[in-house]
Amino acid sequence: MNLSPLQKARYEYSPKLPGMLRNGISDICVKNGAPTESVADQDKIKALFPNTYGKNEITFEKGANTSVAKKQVVGVILSGGQAPGGHNVICGLYDAIKATDKSNVLLGFKGGPSGLIEDDFVEFDDEYINAYRNTGGFDIIGSGRTKLETEEQFKIVTEVAKKHGLTAIVIIGGDDSNTNAAVLAEYMAAHNTGVQVIGCPKTIDGDLKNEDIEASFGFDTATKTYSEVIGNIERDANSAKKYWHFVKVMGRSASHVALECALETQPNICLIGEEVAAKKMSLSAIADYIADSVAKRAANGDNFGVAIIPEGIVEFVPEFSKLIAEINELLAGKKTDEFNALPNWDAKYNFIKNGLTAESFAVFDILPQFVQQQLFLERDPHGNVQVSLIESEKLFSALVKDKLAARKAAGTYNGKFSALHHFFGYEGRCAFPSNFDADYCYSLGYNAFMLIQYGYTGYLSKVSNLSKPADEWVAGGMPITKMMNIERRNGEDKPVIRKALVELDGAPFKYFEAHREEWAVKTAYTYPGAIQYFGPSEVCDLTTRTLALEKGMLK
Ligand code: FBP
């Protein structure tokens, strides 16, 4: 195979472990912490997880390894969207497994959770693993979005585990996948299978974090990748001085990615979904907010700018969510066929007009026609509108254009507005992991095996103190049940890990809020440049601004 020079160089990189894990397997012992309680709904969660609830938080420290030696056969899966560093979680896991005992085995189940059900696996060896060290992607075994949650699936997984003599399963995934890891751990314990289950926190969206998990892996690299390109676009905008760039960035729900990119690049505008919801902003109010920046900059002769739009934004606009709910209702069941049979858009438009409340129709009516039509094109398997497919970067630039036309007619604006659109998502999910993600992920994997070796189940591999150099990182484990509460999902009460949205009183948002008025008018762009893998630590080992602000390292 032809390898790029960087690929070869990254194979040679030795990821940094937390200081306490650096002395070799025989010198790692457990320090017991306090028993835990779930973040809310304690009685209900305890009743649902009688075998795994309330266990102690633990950390590892230097000291004689007291774990009981046994042959380990571990299965691992990657679950959900790709995130840079996933390969290193598996490499760290593999190295710890083999350093403990060469005869231990690591099986990778292919294509995500379905690999466990279909018993589709590969047994890792040095040659296989070495081809993936410090590389991006999930192609080592692939990933998938099948949910492991039914009793039927758990029975099959138990059979597969028995067949291979699995002692443990490691699930690398986001909030949903780790919720399922907790349920599977409870099932395995309740049925005395002897199979331990350990989770690892992954997602570029950054919404799997809490007082225990400081960051999900992949967020660092993905946001640095987007920020590099946004910075380049800012420089292009400032050079040509003729375009407003509307840049949508991934983040299915929470706006952490958009906020981090804004902190890195200081654009003129960045929308934050959580703020839009808290202030109950309408589409029109958001468009006015952006148009104000365009107009003020135009008054200074700057007919250019950059606006960051989070992928999940429209679901945070209350009137838009109501509109979507009404459309789903309007087209439920056979009415979809009736709608599809209408001869042209005019007839469809009237059907919609007659079926929506006046309030929702008013919202529908201000949407540009391509968005109106998008709402009826792609539907999910339940027949619902796929909000994530709406081109919100184009939606907002179109709404802003209308606002500016009205202002021009009223004589309050006299600039030029020419918009370009970008969507950055997949570009960042498989980048070579930054040194931070390479180190963090390797540590999560290595640490996951230490949890297995010491007999823990239903735990999330936890590496903290991440804003400090890696030798000061703290490795340990946290019962997943500690992060759970009860939420309503598909009409049922379910135990789930609480999704972390952007906190409007948190330091990252506060910093942004304190500066955004200035950024909206001035050209205050910053240019992060490409991720640096080799060079001085202050350039190569930087964490995100979000983490630095949360930990008080930046003011
Ligand atoms: P995870 O939550 O599984 O990590 O995935 C997040 C994400 O990258 C979102 O940012 C994006 O909306 C989504 O995946 C895209 O999913 P898909 O890969 O299925 O198109």
Side-chain angles (χ1 to χ4, degrees):
M1 187 173 42
N2 275 336
L3 299 177
S4 74
L6 183 65
Q7 206 172 341
K8 275 191 220 153
R10 289 311 276 170
Y11 284 162
E12 302 304 319
Y13 177 74
S14 295
K16 300 186 271 296
L17 280 171
M20 61 191 54
L21 298 182
R22 285 184 191 177
N23 307 297
I25 297 285
S26 59
D27 219 2
I28 300 173
C29 70
V30 171
K31 185 180 162 203
N32 243 320
T36 56
E37 291 224 327
S38 60
V39 281
D41 308 308
Q42 288 83 8
D43 291 344
K44 287 184 184 163
I45 305 281
K46 190 174 178 181
L48 288 165
F49 295 88
N51 295 282
T52 49
Y53 185 85
K55 303 286 181 204
N56 295 17
E57 168 177 10
I58 67 114
T59 47
F60 291 113
E61 57 183 23
K62 186 172 157 38
N65 187 327
T66 58
S67 64
V68 182
K70 69 169 180 181
K71 174 162 171 151
Q72 298 280 8
V73 182
V74 178
V76 62
I77 57 166
L78 292 160
S79 180
Q82 283 69 251
H87 288 166
N88 265 26
V89 180
I90 296 178
C91 294
L93 184 61
Y94 177 84
D95 287 353
I97 285 174
K98 292 292 182 183
T100 302
D101 185 338
K102 275 254 165 272
S103 70
N104 285 340
V105 174
L106 180 61
L107 303 181
F109 288 88
K110 294 184 185 172
S114 61
L116 258 179
I117 294 169
E118 288 154 17
D119 195 15
D120 185 8
F121 70 98
V122 58
E123 180 175 337
F124 292 117
D125 58 18
D126 289 354
E127 194 189 347
Y128 199 118
I129 285 286
N130 289 342
Y132 291 93
R133 290 187 188 273
N134 308 303
T135 56
F138 277 8
D139 45 318
I140 187 169
I141 43 175
S143 186
R145 291 196 182 277
T146 303
K147 289 187 191 311
L148 271 187
E149 54 188 356
T150 66
E151 178 98 9
E152 197 48 44
Q153 290 173 321
F154 291 163
K155 276 190 195 147
I156 299 172
V157 172
T158 307
E159 283 312 307
V160 171
K162 233 187 238 165
K163 178 181 157 199
H164 296 290
L166 291 188
T167 50
I169 296 171
V170 175
I171 296 181
I172 303 170
D175 53 336
D176 277 348
S177 307
N178 279 298
T179 292
N180 297 338
V183 181
L184 181 62
E186 178 62 32
Y187 179 93
M188 291 293 182
H191 292 79
N192 290 317
T193 60
V195 180
Q196 298 159 240
V197 181
I198 298 294
C200 287
K202 169 235 73 165
T203 177
I204 64 153
D205 289 5
D207 55 10
L208 173 47
K209 67 173 172 179
N210 47 50
E211 58 175 1
D212 296 307
I213 302 303
E214 293 176 5
S216 55
F217 78 76
F219 178 71
D220 184 90
T221 310
T223 54
K224 284 187 167 102
T225 305
Y226 306 142
S227 297
E228 177 205 347
V229 190
I230 293 169
N232 296 348
I233 284 176
E234 287 178 337
R235 224 165 195 154
D236 195 285
N238 196 18
S239 305
K241 301 194 190 296
K242 60 178 179 182
Y243 295 123
W244 262 85
H245 293 267
F246 284 72
V247 183
K248 180 168 80 171
V249 290
M250 256 189 187
R252 187 192 297 269
S253 174
S255 301
H256 298 290
V257 172
L259 178 57
E260 171 62 19
C261 292
L263 295 170
E264 290 277 356
T265 61
Q266 304 188 179
N268 305 104
I269 294 288
C270 176
L271 302 179
I272 301 296
E274 291 81 345
E275 184 184 28
V276 164
K279 292 186 174 166
K280 299 191 171 41
M281 289 174 82
S282 63
L283 291 175
S284 172
I286 298 170
D288 264 323
Y289 168 67
I290 303 174
D292 285 348
S293 167
V294 175
K296 283 182 193 156
R297 286 179 60 74
N300 294 337
D302 294 332
N303 287 299
F304 65 93
V306 173
I308 300 180
I309 316 285
E311 184 187 10
I313 187 79
V314 285
E315 287 184 75
F316 285 93
V317 180
E319 62 180 15
F320 198 86
S321 297
K322 186 167 179 290
L323 168 66
I324 297 298
E326 284 191 24
I327 293 176
N328 287 338
E329 194 63 29
L330 182 62
L331 296 193
K334 289 196 177 130
K335 288 198 217 131
T336 297
D337 298 336
E338 196 185 321
F339 176 80
N340 288 341
L342 294 169
N344 53 39
W345 177 244
D346 283 347
K348 288 179 176 170
Y349 183 87
N350 282 327
F351 177 95
I352 297 159
K353 190 173 180 179
N354 294 331
L356 295 178
T357 59
E359 211 183 359
S360 285
F361 181 72
V363 177
F364 180 78
D365 213 27
I366 65 162
L367 300 175
Q369 198 185 76
F370 74 89
V371 176
Q372 290 178 339
Q373 290 175 339
Q374 255 169 22
L375 293 176
F376 294 89
L377 279 179
E378 305 270 1
R379 321 289 298 286
D380 73 10
H382 307 288
N384 293 333
V385 172
Q386 294 211 55
V387 181
S388 65
L389 297 180
I390 294 169
E391 293 176 295
S392 44
E393 70 283 25
K394 292 188 184 157
L395 164 63
F396 284 109
S397 90
L399 295 178
V400 168
K401 195 174 170 196
D402 290 348
K403 293 279 178 193
L404 294 171
R407 291 181 190 202
K408 208 165 236 178
T412 55
Y413 162 77
N414 190 24
K416 291 186 200 121
F417 178 73
S418 176
L420 293 177
H421 307 102
H422 316 264
F423 172 37
F424 299 142
Y426 299 96
E427 296 82 345
R429 299 201 311 182
C430 287
F432 279 102
S434 61
N435 285 356
F436 173 84
D437 269 329
D439 298 347
Y440 181 40
C441 291
Y442 187 82
S443 302
L444 285 171
Y446 199 95
N447 187 58
F449 183 67
M450 294 320 301
L451 290 168
I452 293 167
Q453 184 66 13
Y454 272 101
Y456 293 99
T457 190
Y459 275 65
L460 201 62
S461 176
K462 171 178 167 179
V463 176
S464 54
N465 210 25
L466 296 173
S467 60
K468 297 279 171 52
D471 60 331
E472 294 175 42
W473 289 359
V474 178
M478 184 59 70
I480 302 176
T481 49
K482 183 181 174 220
M483 300 164 197
M484 297 178 106
N485 66 165
I486 300 285
E487 288 177 22
R488 202 90 187 136
R489 297 275 169 95
N490 299 328
E492 274 180 72
D493 280 348
K494 290 267 183 194
V496 294
I497 296 177
R498 199 181 263 176
K499 202 182 260 307
L501 299 179
V502 169
E503 287 177 11
L504 300 183
D505 55 0
F509 182 78
K510 285 282 167 208
Y511 183 94
F512 167 68
E513 192 180 34
H515 292 84
R516 65 176 162 188
E517 265 180 48
E518 183 193 339
W519 300 350
V521 183
K522 279 193 183 166
T523 300
Y525 305 149
T526 43
Y527 310 113
I531 296 174
Q532 300 296 306
Y533 299 96
F534 300 98
S537 178
E538 64 272 22
V539 178
C540 298
D541 297 333
L542 277 179
T543 60
T544 57
R545 282 179 183 250
T546 300
L547 187 61
L549 285 159
E550 281 169 348
K551 295 293 163 195
M553 311 289 285
L554 268 181
K555 293 280 176 221

